[in-house]
Amino acid sequence: MNNDVPAILVLADGRTFRGTGFGATGTTLGEAVFTTSMTGYQESMTDPSFHRQILVTAAPHIGNTGWNDEDNESHDNRIWVAGLVIRDLSQQVSNWRAKRSLPEQMQAQDCIGIAGVDTRALVRHLRNHGSIAAGIFSGDDALKPEAELLEIVKAQPAMAGADLAAEVSTKEPYVLEAEGETKYTVVAYDMGIKSQTPRNFAARGIKTVVVPANTPFEEIKQYNPDGVFISNGPGDPATADVMVGIVEDIIKADLPLFGICFGNQIFGRALGLKTYKMKFGHRGVNIPVLDHVTNKIYITSQNHGFALEGEAGMEFESPFGPAHVTHTCLNDGTVEGVALKSGRAFSVQYHPESAAGPHDANPLFDQFLELLGSK
């Protein structure tokens, strides 16, 4: 970190935080959101779901494990966060897998950070007032009048109504082969897929064909899939009309369906539920979820700012038969999962691949494997 680089975080409501720049230098804009995770900054920063978001870490000490070449969650190893806000930057890297420091990787990928911020005050502000448009300005840009910087922040597009999945999705299909014998083939729609997801499929003998967002159902028939997966991703699910229509086609074809995060919202919309933007969202690895089918509680990894409307255990009629809310968050009652009562299609709002995070939800991959076998 160069202590000579001035930096300032400007929120759209006029609140400002000054600090020291690290990584790249210049200006970056996005929605300020916070994560409560104590570990996993590399996985979070490379998660495409953070596209156009400035990530604030509640954990005060960041960068001590440096950056390695194994834990990236984006297919192309790209950093997707718009910027990073931290309290203290580690001056030393201490991890046997590290290839470089966090600032070095951020500079190489033109990612702007600010350190020395009172992140306790900032996180409390975001909890009280909600996620908000923001900007990090470092170097000469940080020396401009704050009123001028505030106008730049306010002029950026809102997250509500943003259609971002196509921006992070793969441009061409690609395949991850199964480990050992290939038992099944699954088509995975890349709405912003994390690399650990197809790896979990591969470990279970599933060949995964990853296709771009909005690929028509007729086109995926060429792969003769045994099932379909809808991934996590960024943006407002209310804009995903094309994917909702594709999911409807998949259900009509009676193909087993599994969705997570953004995929949960798309599947929920196909069942007739509405979505809404949360005040400050769920981002962390310690979020408790109740499974209303088994009455078990899972500690989960989550990253979402939108959710489905509904109530705990709610049963409702969908265009495809009876459906129900299967999971809810014990912190605030947010819908965390929906399914058809037939069991042919289900989804959850959290991340069973758990990178980083607890492994409580990993058996969901086995549930999908059993569903593929039942076909």
Side-chain angles (χ1 to χ4, degrees):
M1 181 171 66
N2 186 344
N3 293 320
D4 296 330
V5 178
I8 182 172
L9 172 71
V10 179
L11 303 183
D13 61 6
R15 187 80 183 266
T16 60
F17 296 82
R18 288 196 174 271
T20 303
F22 69 99
T25 302
T27 294
T28 187
L29 303 173
E31 179 186 46
V33 300
F34 67 89
T35 176
T36 58
S37 297
M38 298 294 289
T39 61
Y41 60 81
Q42 179 172 338
E43 291 92 332
S44 293
M45 293 176 70
T46 54
D47 180 353
S49 295
F50 278 115
H51 179 40
R52 269 188 51 189
Q53 293 182 324
I54 293 175
L55 184 61
V56 181
T57 61
H61 193 61
I62 301 296
N64 57 305
T65 56
W67 197 278
N68 62 62
D69 292 332
E70 291 82 37
D71 292 340
N72 296 316
E73 282 301 318
S74 54
H75 175 60
D76 56 0
N77 298 325
R78 175 177 172 178
I79 293 177
W80 279 104
V81 295
L84 185 64
V85 182
I86 67 174
R87 177 68 180 104
D88 294 316
L89 179 66
S90 176
Q91 298 301 302
Q92 286 186 316
V93 173
S94 181
N95 186 277
W96 66 276
R97 294 193 303 155
K99 299 298 183 182
R100 61 201 69 86
S101 70
L102 172 61
E104 287 172 338
Q105 186 68 26
M106 291 175 63
Q107 189 167 27
Q109 294 204 31
D110 199 29
C111 181
I112 297 171
I114 178 173
V117 171
D118 184 351
T119 49
R120 291 177 301 176
L122 176 54
V123 168
R124 176 166 291 186
H125 186 79
L126 295 176
R127 279 184 60 89
N128 290 340
H129 300 281
S131 301
I132 188 170
I136 301 175
F137 305 87
S138 65
D140 292 340
D141 292 353
L143 305 179
K144 297 177 181 178
E146 290 188 10
E148 180 181 336
L149 302 181
L150 180 59
E151 290 305 311
I152 295 174
V153 169
K154 288 182 175 181
Q156 67 179 292
M159 186 61 70
D163 184 5
L164 303 179
E167 297 181 15
V168 303
S169 180
T170 180
K171 303 309 177 187
E172 299 292 337
Y174 63 92
V175 176
L176 187 68
E177 297 290 347
E179 297 176 9
E181 178 189 357
T182 300
K183 299 175 182 176
Y184 306 106
T185 298
V186 164
V187 166
Y189 276 88
D190 180 7
M191 313 304 295
I193 196 168
K194 296 173 72 174
S195 59
Q196 279 296 331
T197 301
R199 290 173 188 166
N200 271 277
F201 286 147
R204 290 165 171 81
I206 298 174
K207 172 184 175 181
T208 307
V209 182
V210 183
V211 299
N214 302 329
T215 300
F217 176 63
E218 291 297 321
E219 290 188 18
I220 72 168
K221 287 183 178 179
Q222 64 182 299
Y223 305 113
N224 297 313
D226 297 295
V228 178
F229 173 78
I230 313 295
S231 83
N232 60 290
D236 188 342
T239 66
D241 293 343
V242 174
M243 274 307 305
V244 170
I246 292 170
V247 167
E248 291 172 349
D249 291 338
I250 293 167
I251 300 173
K252 290 175 184 176
D254 197 33
L255 277 173
L257 177 71
F258 176 29
I260 66 169
C261 204
F262 199 66
N264 178 64
Q265 297 155 13
I266 292 171
F267 176 49
R269 283 195 56 198
L271 296 181
L273 300 180
K274 295 182 179 179
T275 60
Y276 66 95
K277 191 177 191 302
M278 304 169 72
K279 183 176 181 180
F280 51 81
H282 294 164
R283 297 173 183 87
V285 298
N286 60 346
I287 300 171
V289 168
L290 175 62
D291 183 336
H292 297 287
V293 178
T294 64
N295 209 35
K296 291 183 178 180
I297 296 172
Y298 302 98
I299 304 303
T300 68
S301 173
Q302 299 193 19
N303 172 19
H304 64 106
F306 293 84
L308 292 170
E309 293 183 359
E311 298 178 0
M314 179 180 76
E315 297 188 4
F316 59 98
E317 282 297 322
S318 79
F320 311 101
H324 58 145
V325 172
T326 55
H327 302 73
T328 49
C329 179
L330 291 176
N331 287 341
D332 56 13
T334 300
V335 173
E336 296 283 357
V338 290
L340 287 175
K341 296 283 281 186
S342 67
R344 300 295 291 169
F346 68 99
S347 63
V348 294
Q349 188 59 63
Y350 46 94
H351 287 266
E353 82 288 339
S354 306
H359 296 168
D360 291 25
N362 196 260
L364 284 168
F365 289 110
D366 298 314
Q367 180 181 335
F368 187 46
L369 183 65
E370 292 177 7
L371 181 56
L372 296 175
S374 69
K375 178 177 181 297

